[in-house]
Amino acid sequence: MNKAKGRKTEICFTIHRVVYCAIGFLISAVFVEGINAVPFGKSINSYMVATVAGSGIKGFLDGVREKAQFSWPTGVVVDNKGNIYVADFANNLIRRIDSKGAVATFAGSGHAAFADGKGRMAHFKGPDNIAIDKDGNIYVADADNFRIRKITPDGTITTIAGSGVKGYQDGDGKSARFAYPTGVAVDSENNVYVADRGSHSIRKIMPDGKVVTIAGNGYPAYLDGQGVKTHFHDPISLALDQTGNIYVSDSGNHAIRKITPDGVVSTLSGNGRHGYKDGVGKGAFFSWPTGIAIDGAGNIYLCDSQNNRIRRITPDGVVSTVAGISIPGFADGPGYNARFSFPTGIEVDKAGNIYVADSGNNRIRKISQGGILQAQLLLP
């Protein structure tokens, strides 16, 4: 009887040890997988993904959180009060989400047309990306109108550059031409920078309205170098750091390019070939990177659209995955389990929260650091 009891105890102990080792292996696997996804500190922290607004149904409807509807949102910014502004591309609108999650139409009539004016009296046609300055003015890359627009905090919309005729021509604001402007950024001196996808170039709009080309030359290719002697291929979005460097999502080249204040163009990450791989510099792979943003520490966050992931690049060029898996879909939760569908717009607020225009899901998502991976072993 005692031997049988002892044998049973030994078997139970062995089973528990196997289970414990298996759980330990799973935890280790998650930890190793997460190393590329999370900025580890003293604990096993994970980025957590949540939905800010949008039902997932493509359409137009103002409302609170999941009751609202978007149609292919592509740009997102956050103001100093925590309001989120969204370029709702297919609805031809600029929407606003307040701190309570209420979605309202801020600018645009919804008609695919062109007209300056105030609030819903103005018209946009394919507003693609947006930027915000220190005074709360919003700049819109109004792609299908071939113009760059400005919205003041009271909702007044004006055109700062672009004749409305598709083309590639520098000059004063009214006569300058854009070939399909999709990305926009603004510096502290109110210079506006434009990723003109259609002309494969990066343009600059000075405060007096004059438009000049600072990199690229109208021909799609891949070449680093100086100013207009360089080549881009479908540059879609751009962002500025605190020292005036410009970072460009060079989508057609599947690379992130850097332009210094004196016009030197180099490749920060990616190598011209599409794929998916974390790594350092040109050892990393992207597949159609689009939206790009920079935090206060100089980390770059971007939408790796065809990979359905959000990626991060540290100032020294280390590329990692923040959230998402290769399969398109929708799922909130820890970053390594979350799912996106062709995300294209991104912003980082002062607290380090990441906001994503999840275009294919017609939702606005928020990624924040939090959540601790835990495993509990249940013993008799």
Side-chain angles (χ1 to χ4, degrees), residues 301-320:
Y301 296 85
L302 59 97
C303 296
D304 192 7
S305 296
Q306 288 184 346
N307 280 321
N308 303 295
R309 289 175 163 101
I310 306 303
R311 314 283 291 278
R312 182 184 63 186
I313 309 173
T314 62
D316 54 356
V318 178
V319 180
S320 60

Side-chain angles (χ1 to χ4, degrees), residues 91-272:
N91 277 324
N92 304 297
L93 297 170
I94 306 300
R95 317 281 291 278
R96 180 172 62 191
I97 309 171
D98 67 18
S99 58
K100 296 180 181 179
V103 180
T105 298
F106 178 64
S109 64
H111 299 293
F114 168 72
D116 287 333
K118 191 164 185 177
R120 302 187 74 162
M121 300 300 292
H123 301 311
F124 296 92
K125 189 176 182 182
D128 197 295
N129 216 324
I130 53 179
I132 191 166
D133 67 17
K134 61 183 183 300
D135 298 318
N137 298 299
I138 296 172
Y139 298 83
V140 182
D142 194 9
D144 286 303
N145 274 322
F146 313 110
R147 292 175 167 101
I148 305 303
R149 318 282 291 279
K150 178 181 177 180
I151 311 174
T152 60
D154 69 354
T156 301
I157 296 97
T158 57
T159 298
I160 65 169
S163 66
V165 178
K166 182 179 181 179
Y168 175 40
Q169 179 177 303
D170 288 339
D172 66 78
K174 293 182 179 180
S175 64
R177 295 183 181 183
F178 297 91
Y180 198 69
T182 53
V184 65
V186 58
D187 68 17
S188 60
E189 297 179 354
N190 295 322
N191 295 296
V192 178
Y193 299 86
V194 180
D196 191 14
R197 176 182 174 183
S199 70
H200 312 284
S201 64
I202 307 303
R203 321 281 291 277
K204 178 180 179 180
I205 308 171
M206 300 180 194
D208 62 1
K210 184 179 179 180
V211 178
V212 296
T213 299
I214 61 172
N217 53 35
Y219 298 97
Y222 182 27
L223 182 67
D224 289 335
Q226 180 74 42
V228 296
K229 295 180 180 180
T230 62
H231 292 287
F232 293 82
H233 190 177
D234 288 323
I236 282 183
S237 188
L238 43 71
L240 297 165
D241 69 12
Q242 296 177 349
T243 58
N245 295 300
I246 305 168
Y247 295 87
V248 181
S249 285
D250 192 10
S251 305
N253 282 321
H254 311 289
I256 305 304
R257 315 283 291 280
K258 176 182 178 180
I259 308 172
T260 63
D262 58 356
V264 176
V265 179
S266 60
T267 299
L268 177 67
S269 293
N271 52 39

